[in-house]
Amino acid sequence: MKTKEQTSSDELLLKELIEKTKEWYFYLLSQWKIIVVASLVGAALGLTLSFIKKPIYTASLSFAVESNKPGGGLSGALGLASSLGFDLSGSGGGIFEGSNLTELFKSRKMVEKTLLMPINFNGKNISLAEMYIINNEWRDKWENKPKLVGLQFLPNANRKNFSRSQDSIFGEIYEDLSKYGLEVGQKDKKVDIISIDVSSKNELFAKYFSEALAKQVGDFYIETKSKKARINMAILQKQTDSIRGELNNSIAGVAVANDNTFALNPSLNVRRVPSARRQVDVQANTAILTELVKQTELAKVTLRKETPLIQVIDRPILPLKKEKIGKLFGLVLGGFLFGLLTILFLTLKNILKKIV
């Protein structure tokens, strides 16, 4: 239970609070002209910003990745191939599974390779890097920088031959894209569908870059995943071609040896030795070639299984999604922010005046 003294104290505090609130209310009311003018200025600035600020376009692309593993009826054949010294199982791309694949899209290597891909822009064949520079009007800023004025980023240029200045510009482009222009991820963790969102002030750049990045990463991913299988198949194919050549030479050798011993005296059997040797070579090379052909066909099947399927589901279609500050939104937001800041300034100024 509160005592009379406590109740009286609470009433005094409440009255004091009400008095202070009235005091501040009438003070701010006396400054209404300043607040209204500030709000009008803010509204005008917000409206101006809505006209000046360029819209941001977002290109969205989604795709699914399916990677088949060898097994089933091929397991016995793969075991036989392994016993013969051929590694036909497994792939070289396990490091790019799951979330690692999404990080691959954001890697500097993939972004830079994509920036060097050619596109047709205003009737000219240029790289995406050049298009990015044109869109952001960087060359106008480089007029007083001799090292940057003559820089060119040609389509499919060799990245290893870039100068220090070119490396620096590429670094800036990569930082801008990775922070503000590129988002990669799974919108739903339960579904293995990866989405790429590219944002840019230029609608065409957003579309071109998202498609080029998906192609670049897709090619790199497929090449990496099937690398071991392709190497094994190439070795087997080379050995098959070599043995086939040796077999053809052996068959020709048998014919030559038979011609040399035609109508030979039966008592001179030593002359038939070269022909017999050639016959043995033919039989041996035939057996080896038969086995190599089997292994080569098996390697082709394995390569097909090890090559992942990358299926694009949705591509960016013009016109792209556009984000722009609306005129009404800019008007209201600008007026509200400037009005609020003015009230805070006047309040702080009055408090400091009382303290001093």
Side-chain angles (χ1 to χ4, degrees), residues 338-352:
F338 268 68
L340 181 62
L341 289 174
T342 303
I343 290 173
L344 292 175
F345 172 76
L346 292 173
T347 302
L348 182 62
K349 180 181 176 182
N350 192 39
I351 291 173
L352 293 174

Side-chain angles (χ1 to χ4, degrees), residues 4-101:
K4 291 183 178 180
E5 290 78 4
Q6 290 176 331
T7 303
S8 177
S9 177
D10 290 343
E11 290 177 353
L12 288 173
L13 286 174
L14 181 60
K15 289 180 180 179
E16 186 177 350
L17 179 61
I18 294 172
E19 290 296 327
K20 286 289 182 182
T21 303
K22 287 182 178 179
E23 181 182 342
W24 281 110
Y25 171 75
F26 287 114
Y27 170 73
L28 293 175
L29 191 62
S30 67
Q31 304 292 325
W32 70 270
K33 292 182 180 179
I34 297 176
I35 296 173
V36 170
V37 170
S39 298
L40 290 175
V41 171
L45 290 175
L47 183 62
T48 304
L49 183 64
S50 68
F51 282 105
I52 295 175
K53 188 173 176 60
K54 294 181 179 179
I56 302 297
Y57 297 93
T58 301
S60 298
L61 184 146
S62 61
F63 64 93
V65 179
E66 180 184 4
S67 178
N68 292 325
K69 297 294 183 182
L74 287 176
S75 58
L78 290 171
L80 175 61
S82 178
S83 66
L84 293 174
F86 301 109
D87 181 12
L88 301 179
S89 61
S91 67
I95 58 173
F96 296 133
E97 297 292 347
S99 60
N100 288 346
L101 180 58

Side-chain angles (χ1 to χ4, degrees), residues 169-229:
I169 297 302
F170 248 34
E172 287 186 38
I173 296 176
Y174 172 72
E175 288 297 325
D176 286 347
L177 286 173
S178 60
K179 287 183 179 179
Y180 311 111
L182 177 62
E183 291 185 10
V184 183
Q186 294 175 259
K187 293 183 178 179
D188 187 346
K189 297 297 182 181
K190 297 180 181 179
V191 181
D192 293 331
I193 296 178
I194 298 176
S195 299
I196 308 171
D197 293 329
V198 178
S199 300
S200 173
K201 295 177 182 177
N202 186 290
E203 188 176 28
L204 290 177
F205 178 84
K207 181 179 186 299
Y208 292 158
F209 186 84
S210 62
E211 294 177 335
L213 180 63
K215 183 181 185 306
Q216 186 68 51
V217 175
D219 292 345
F220 179 80
Y221 179 71
I222 290 173
E223 180 183 359
T224 304
K225 287 282 289 182
S226 59
K227 185 175 182 179
K228 289 175 68 177

